[in-house]
Amino acid sequence: MSEPLTVEIWSDVQCPWCYIGKRRFETALADSGERVAITYRSFELAPDTPVDYDGTPADYLSERKGISREQAAEMMAHVTGLAAQEGLAYDFDHVHQTNTVLAHELLHLARERGLQAELKERLLAAYFEQGRHVGRVEELVALGTDVGLDPEEIRAALADHRYLPAVKADTAQAAAYGIRGVPFYVFDGALGVSGAQSPETFVAALAQAREARDSASAGAGATA
Amino acid sequence: MTASPPTGRPDASGVDPTRPAPSLLTFVTAVDDDVETGLCIDGVCAVDPPR
C-alpha cells in the first residue's frame, strides 16, 4: 500500500468558495480513490474585522467593495446557488460576519488532537448554514465540543492564545509562497492548485502529484 | 548558486526559508463558475481581490 499524498489546504472559515471547494475536493477523492493526509492551514481573509461586527454580510461587502447593498445581496444569492449545486445550504440572512482568528487557533488545537477535519467541517457548516457565531469563545467551545474536543482545554487555549503563533506561521508561509487567495491546495509540498476547481481538475492534480511521488521514489531506488 | 535542501526548521516568522514554493499546476485555469461573488473571483477569495 502506497503512502498517502500530503495535501495542505489554506482556507478561511468565512470563505464561501472554500466550503464549495471542500465538497469538490471530496468528490475528487471519492472518484480517484487516492489516499491523502490533509492539513488545513490558516488564512484570514479579513483580519481587521471586529468579532462583533455590527452589520450583515451585505453591509460588509458593500463597505469593502464600494458597491450597493443590493449588488452585494445579488452576489451572495449567486454564490448561494453555486453552493446548492454542491449540496450546501448557505443562509446569508443569518451569517455573522466576524473575526476568525480564534477559529483558526481552535483548528490548530484540533489538529493536535486528531480532530481537525471534523472541526473544519463543523465550523464551515456552523458559519454558512446554521447562523452560528464562529468568532465568540463560548460558541467555539460548543462547536469544538461537538467534535470531541475538551471544553476546558478549548477555553484555556483560546484564553492564552497558545496556537496563535501557529496561525501566524501558516499566514507567513502563505505569503512566502505568494498565496493571495483561498482555497489554495499544495500537494506533497510541491504542486499547487488555486481555487475551488472542478472535481475533474482535482482528480488530475492528484494523479500528477502521485506520478511525481512515484517518479521520485523510483529515482531514489535507482540510486540506492 | 546551489539551492539548499529544505531544513524543516522555521525562522522567527514560522517560515522555512529553504522550502521552495510549490509549482502551480499548469493545467489549472479559472474555475467553471467564472463569476465574481463578493470578495471572491474565479473560485478564489482574496484579501485584496482584483477588480
Side-chain angles (χ1 to χ4, degrees):
Chain A
M1 179 80 68
S2 58
E3 289 294 309
L5 298 171
T6 66
V7 184
E8 296 168 277
I9 305 174
W10 273 264
S11 67
D12 195 0
V13 174
Q14 57 186 350
C15 157
W17 280 107
C18 293
Y19 204 6
I20 292 170
K22 186 173 187 294
R23 283 291 180 273
R24 292 179 178 177
F25 190 64
E26 289 163 352
T27 298
L29 289 177
D31 290 348
S32 69
E34 185 59 77
R35 295 170 62 243
V36 298
I38 295 174
T39 299
Y40 288 100
R41 300 292 186 191
S42 301
F43 191 97
E44 295 176 81
L45 281 169
D48 55 339
T49 306
V51 170
D52 289 306
Y53 173 76
D54 186 20
T56 66
D59 293 333
Y60 179 84
L61 282 181
S62 175
E63 294 166 10
R64 190 91 174 212
K65 289 183 67 74
I67 59 176
S68 71
R69 285 180 178 75
E70 290 71 24
Q71 286 176 298
E74 285 177 16
M75 289 174 172
M76 289 187 293
H78 192 94
V79 80
T80 297
L82 295 171
Q85 294 176 21
E86 306 299 330
L88 300 171
Y90 283 11
D91 180 9
F92 280 105
D93 287 342
H94 296 93
V95 160
H96 293 282
Q97 191 81 34
T98 186
N99 188 295
T100 58
V101 68
L102 288 179
H104 285 295
E105 291 178 33
L106 184 57
L107 281 162
H108 278 277
L109 166 62
R111 184 185 177 214
E112 286 201 353
R113 299 291 171 265
L115 292 167
Q116 193 189 42
E118 291 84 351
L119 183 66
K120 186 69 177 183
E121 178 65 28
R122 186 71 193 93
L123 291 175
L124 287 166
Y127 182 82
F128 283 109
E129 296 184 314
Q130 298 161 5
R132 301 286 289 272
H133 196 307
V134 301
R136 293 177 180 161
V137 170
E138 283 311 309
E139 279 279 62
L140 290 170
V141 169
L143 294 167
T145 304
D146 283 350
V147 302
L149 292 171
D150 176 70
E152 291 312 312
E153 184 178 33
I154 295 172
R155 285 193 185 89
L158 297 185
D160 65 19
H161 301 288
R162 66 190 68 164
Y163 293 101
L164 183 58
V167 173
K168 297 305 180 190
D170 283 354
T171 304
Q173 188 67 61
Y177 279 169
I179 298 172
R180 291 176 57 82
V182 289
F184 194 97
Y185 304 74
V186 176
F187 299 86
D188 269 359
L191 298 172
V193 170
S194 177
Q197 300 289 336
S198 68
E200 293 75 20
T201 298
F202 281 131
V203 168
L206 287 162
Q208 187 164 332
R210 175 58 68 187
E211 187 178 328
R213 166 84 70 90
D214 290 347
S215 296
S217 298
T223 57
Chain B
M1 194 172 88
T2 306
S4 302
T7 62
R9 289 193 296 274
D11 62 16
S13 66
V15 174
D16 178 356
T18 62
R19 186 176 172 182
S23 302
L24 200 63
L25 292 183
T26 53
F27 57 79
V28 173
T29 58
V31 296
D32 295 340
D33 309 302
D34 185 15
V35 292
E36 181 176 355
T37 51
L39 296 173
C40 316
I41 299 173
D42 287 344
V44 177
C45 301
V47 176
D48 297 303
R51 295 296 181 96

